Amino acid sequence: MTGKRSRNIEVGAAICTILVLAPVVLSQNSSPIPVDKSQLKAWFNANIKPASARGSTIDPALAKAEVAAHIIKVKKDGSGDFDTITKAIASVPSGNTKRVIISIGGGSYREKIRIDRSKPFITFYGDPRNMPNLSYDGTARQYGTVDSATLIVESDYFVAANIVIQNTAPRPDGVMVGAQAVSLRISGDKAAFYNCKIIGFQDTLCDDRGNHFFKDCYIRGTVDFIFGSGKSLYLGVTVITAQNCFLRRIQVQGKRSKFQWAGEIRQAANRRGSQTFPGSWLY
């Protein structure tokens, strides 16, 4: 069993290394993203290359960080290095220069998590068959909108794979004051999210600033639930507006934001089902 777990971690490290480099390569690539969703996989495989084939497209600090990753295990039952994610992050030194993979065991982690800018190169990695759920119920009334997030990432080169990030605060009713409740705020540069679920109601995802890459993710909310000034690529991402919401809108903040969509947006139509809007759509 130990050997099997080690191999799984190694595979996870390889996946995360590829993902964190993706925004760098995509920003320099001239090949257009296909509108036809069936062509996305071929486009991705043709344009996203292994680190060994990227040469000068990788900045020196990142290349050095990926040489020897350090793995920290978080298990709720105490069988890992730590029993909370917060403790694992605290163990990473300020000024970190190496990839640190925090392997998170399955289960629910009720924590309000913050990674400050002094701790770059951190990866959250979960088992895709038993994805860990990071949840908290912070609201704008308590913390202010952007600081209400369950997970706040201010550092560069962050990666998350196979993670559920959720804000469990009550659903806004249009009357509640300070009901905004962010699930994820990403403020660092060159971050990547793969097969993650980001779930909330109002202001679910604060794509604050920096270059970010979301692939095969699921994002759910109600009002203005993707917002910010980040320059991000959403590839094969499913976006759901929760059923029976009083207002359905995705907001791109100002003219500074540059969002590219490749995939589909689904808008729930009360309890009778959902309606699909293929291709590119923003409001």
Side-chain angles (χ1 to χ4, degrees), residues 138 145 148 167 169-174 176 178-183 200-205 220-227 246:
T145 299
S148 68
N167 192 310
R171 180 177 184 148
D173 58 7
M176 299 164 60
Q180 298 92 332
V182 179
S183 298
F201 292 113
Q202 185 172 355
D203 294 357
T204 303
L205 170 58
R220 190 184 74 190
T222 54
V223 182
D224 299 344
F225 64 95
I226 300 177
F227 69 104
F246 59 89

Side-chain angles (χ1 to χ4, degrees), residues 148-191:
S148 68
T150 298
L151 173 60
I152 297 173
V153 180
E154 297 177 331
S155 61
D156 296 342
Y157 300 110
F158 176 79
V159 175
N162 313 315
I163 303 290
V164 179
I165 307 164
Q166 184 172 12
N167 192 310
T168 58
R171 180 177 184 148
D173 58 7
V175 178
M176 299 164 60
V177 176
Q180 298 92 332
V182 179
S183 298
L184 168 66
R185 170 161 69 87
I186 176 67
S187 302
D189 196 19
K190 299 175 183 176

Side-chain angles (χ1 to χ4, degrees), residues 91-103:
S91 74
V92 179
S94 295
N96 174 58
T97 59
K98 292 291 185 181
R99 173 63 57 190
V100 176
I101 299 174
I102 300 178
S103 173

Side-chain angles (χ1 to χ4, degrees), residues 28-103:
Q28 298 175 356
N29 197 285
S30 59
S31 176
I33 301 170
V35 175
D36 186 348
K37 186 180 178 182
S38 66
Q39 299 175 10
L40 288 177
K41 184 176 181 180
W43 176 88
F44 183 82
N45 291 336
N47 287 279
I48 306 302
K49 302 297 183 182
S52 59
R54 295 181 180 180
S56 61
T57 64
I58 304 174
D59 66 72
L62 179 58
K64 183 179 179 181
E66 302 297 339
V67 171
H70 174 57
I71 298 170
I72 298 173
K73 295 181 181 180
V74 175
K75 300 282 188 180
K76 287 186 65 65
D77 62 6
S79 62
D81 300 304
F82 299 99
D83 59 2
T84 71
I85 300 165
T86 300
K87 291 176 183 176
I89 294 169
S91 74
V92 179
S94 295
N96 174 58
T97 59
K98 292 291 185 181
R99 173 63 57 190
V100 176
I101 299 174
I102 300 178
S103 173

